[in-house]
Amino acid sequence: MAPILCSSMPEIKVGGHIDDIQELRRARPMMVPERYIRDNSERPRRARLPDSLQIPIIDMSKMIRESDVQFHHELAKLATACEEWGFFQVINHGIDTHKLEDMEEVAREFFDLPLEEKEKYPMKPGTIQGYGHAFVFSEEQKLDWCNMLALGVEPPFIRDPKLWPTNPSHFSETLDKYSVEIRNLCQRLLRLIARSLRRVNENVFNEMFGTAVQAVRMNYYPPCPRPDLVLGLSPHSDGSALTVLQQETDTVGLQILKDGAWVPVQPTRNALVINIGDTIEVLTNGKYKSVEHRAITNKKKDRLSLVTFYAPSYDVELGPLPEFVDEERPCMYRKYIHGDYSRHYVTSRLEGKRTLEFAKITEQL
């Protein structure tokens, strides 16, 4: 999901009310409704993968003083993570664990509210802010086994105050404090990622992005009677520059596509999962790639995840930086305005990395 919160999506009604998975689950159905059952080719399957196949873990406490040997060792790990995985976890990131816990708690409180309370903040047809399902464009489209609350955070003009819950009463205050911390982390990570590229100034991304766009999405995945038939979230890459994921540690739900296999991301206590978005792939001319990922469900346990999307201002022109274009790696993406790509992203179904075709240069015959 890209951090664009515009209102130009086509109005396609998907039923007359919110399809609430929690309410469905409370009815304890023995079977999964047809609307959620995936085709055989899309269903999650168990694969035997070595335990060592895990996304890298970056210790940010070792990346403070450039004069330290451990700084350069960790920077090299970061470069490998961005180039070979597109995903990594950060530990010792500097965000107070109480703020992480507070945000998780207030999100759970919201999802535990009665349906009629949550429906006060509906994700209306043609939008992707509010509570409900996003990226649904037809009655025939398969739904994800997930309810979500998506909100614009920064800059102020993308906020829709009517969709910020007043119940729990401390929701907005908690989210604002949390978002400031995540924004600072993203800016620090962008400096480090620029350093890891070794060809550009460490401030190149932060300066280019202007007043960066920041949005949050809270995903709730109830237990599913047949997790082998559904997906919690369809495969996709993110249209952001960086995405920051906070997830609970007792359930594995996130999977990333690595060398043709879906690799589960094992949660690490107090860690945050970071992934490279389409924007960084374009700017680095494909050196650092966004990676397809999805969410699966669990038969016995629910799962909550908090996702922040961080992207350039809508009016910023993007394209491969000249430092990453040469004879060995010719220009792979055209120039475009980020807002145009964001509109394209939110008016497209989640289908792997298909949305990035918007920016790719096709060979002229």
Side-chain angles (χ1 to χ4, degrees):
M1 176 181 174
I4 174 75
L5 298 148
C6 63
S7 58
S8 59
M9 293 172 64
E11 279 209 21
I12 300 176
K13 294 183 179 180
V14 185
H17 60 84
I18 296 174
D19 291 298
D20 192 278
I21 304 298
Q22 284 173 274
E23 296 301 308
L24 175 65
R25 178 57 181 165
R26 284 169 183 152
R28 297 187 178 278
M30 298 300 293
M31 299 297 293
V32 174
E34 184 67 27
R35 187 73 194 274
Y36 297 89
I37 298 177
R38 298 285 176 149
D39 294 337
N40 281 325
S41 61
E42 297 179 320
R43 295 175 186 175
R45 305 184 187 282
R46 291 186 178 181
R48 294 183 178 180
L49 300 171
D51 293 338
S52 59
L53 192 61
Q54 278 297 309
I55 65 173
I57 296 178
I58 306 299
D59 186 347
M60 296 191 70
S61 68
K62 298 179 179 179
M63 306 185 78
I64 298 174
R65 290 184 296 274
E66 187 177 349
S67 58
D68 291 346
V69 174
Q70 61 184 6
F71 177 96
H72 297 281
H73 174 73
E74 216 65 19
L75 193 67
K77 282 175 58 179
L78 177 62
T80 299
C82 293
E83 190 162 6
E84 298 182 5
W85 287 87
F87 269 79
F88 53 93
Q89 297 195 64
V90 291
I91 58 174
N92 299 319
H93 41 67
I95 300 178
D96 191 320
T97 56
H98 293 298
K99 289 186 178 178
L100 301 179
E101 292 167 357
D102 288 348
M103 190 64 242
E104 187 175 304
E105 180 181 351
V106 79
R108 273 206 170 271
E109 287 180 25
F110 173 80
F111 284 112
D112 286 342
L113 292 171
L115 177 59
E116 57 268 22
E117 181 68 24
K118 291 179 289 190
E119 284 184 322
K120 293 178 180 178
Y121 314 101
M123 186 180 293
K124 296 180 180 179
T127 70
I128 59 166
Q129 285 203 65
Y131 175 75
H133 285 281
F135 301 98
V136 179
F137 301 104
S138 75
E139 292 285 350
E140 292 73 35
Q141 184 178 336
K142 296 298 183 181
L143 295 178
D144 294 329
W145 193 267
C146 171
N147 282 128
M148 60 180 64
L149 175 66
L151 300 169
V153 178
E154 293 289 346
F157 74 83
I158 72 169
R159 291 192 181 208
D160 187 342
K162 300 187 301 297
L163 297 177
W164 281 59
T166 56
N167 185 9
S169 60
H170 54 299
F171 181 95
S172 294
E173 180 184 0
T174 303
L175 178 55
D176 276 332
K177 290 179 179 178
Y178 176 83
S179 296
V180 168
E181 298 290 339
I182 298 295
R183 193 174 187 86
N184 291 337
L185 174 64
C186 287
Q187 291 170 354
R188 184 182 174 195
L189 284 169
L190 285 171
R191 287 194 295 270
L192 291 169
I193 289 171
R195 289 292 304 274
S196 75
L197 287 162
R198 300 185 182 279
R199 300 184 189 181
V200 292
N201 182 282
E202 67 173 12
N203 294 313
V204 63
F205 299 131
N206 285 321
E207 291 177 354
M208 176 191 304
F209 288 1
T211 303
V213 174
Q214 184 175 344
V216 65
R217 190 182 70 211
M218 305 166 201
N219 302 317
Y220 179 75
Y221 306 94
C224 179
R226 290 293 305 274
D228 57 313
L229 299 180
V230 308
L231 287 175
L233 193 61
S234 300
H236 64 286
S237 64
D238 292 336
S240 56
L242 292 180
T243 301
V244 180
L245 168 72
Q246 177 182 339
Q247 59 178 342
E248 296 174 316
T249 57
D250 59 347
T251 308
V252 176
L254 174 64
Q255 295 182 330
I256 69 172
L257 191 61
K258 169 71 170 171
D259 299 328
W262 286 105
V263 179
V265 175
Q266 300 293 336
T268 299
R269 184 169 178 79
N270 295 326
L272 295 169
V273 178
I274 313 297
N275 64 276
I276 299 297
D278 295 343
T279 296
I280 295 296
E281 175 168 338
V282 169
L283 290 172
T284 64
N285 200 33
K287 180 175 176 61
Y288 289 175
K289 289 184 172 60
S290 60
V291 171
E292 197 172 333
H293 51 286
R294 69 183 186 183
I296 59 172
T297 62
N298 187 283
K299 189 171 185 177
K300 297 181 179 180
K301 295 182 178 181
D302 64 357
R303 176 173 174 262
L304 175 72
S305 68
L306 310 174
V307 189
T308 297
F309 304 96
Y310 189 87
S313 173
Y314 294 142
D315 58 359
V316 171
E317 184 180 68
L318 300 174
L321 296 173
E323 291 85 353
F324 302 102
V325 178
D326 53 33
E327 290 184 1
E328 293 184 2
R329 187 186 289 270
C331 188
M332 299 166 58
Y333 308 92
R334 65 179 179 86
K335 290 184 178 180
Y336 60 89
I337 302 300
H338 178 63
D340 294 338
Y341 180 63
S342 295
R343 276 187 288 274
H344 167 74
Y345 193 103
V346 300
T347 55
S348 303
R349 291 176 56 181
L350 297 181
E351 293 184 277
K353 295 189 64 172
R354 186 174 179 180
T355 51
L356 193 54
E357 293 176 7
F358 170 94
K360 287 187 176 179
I361 295 175
T362 57
E363 291 186 20
Q364 302 294 321
L365 298 179

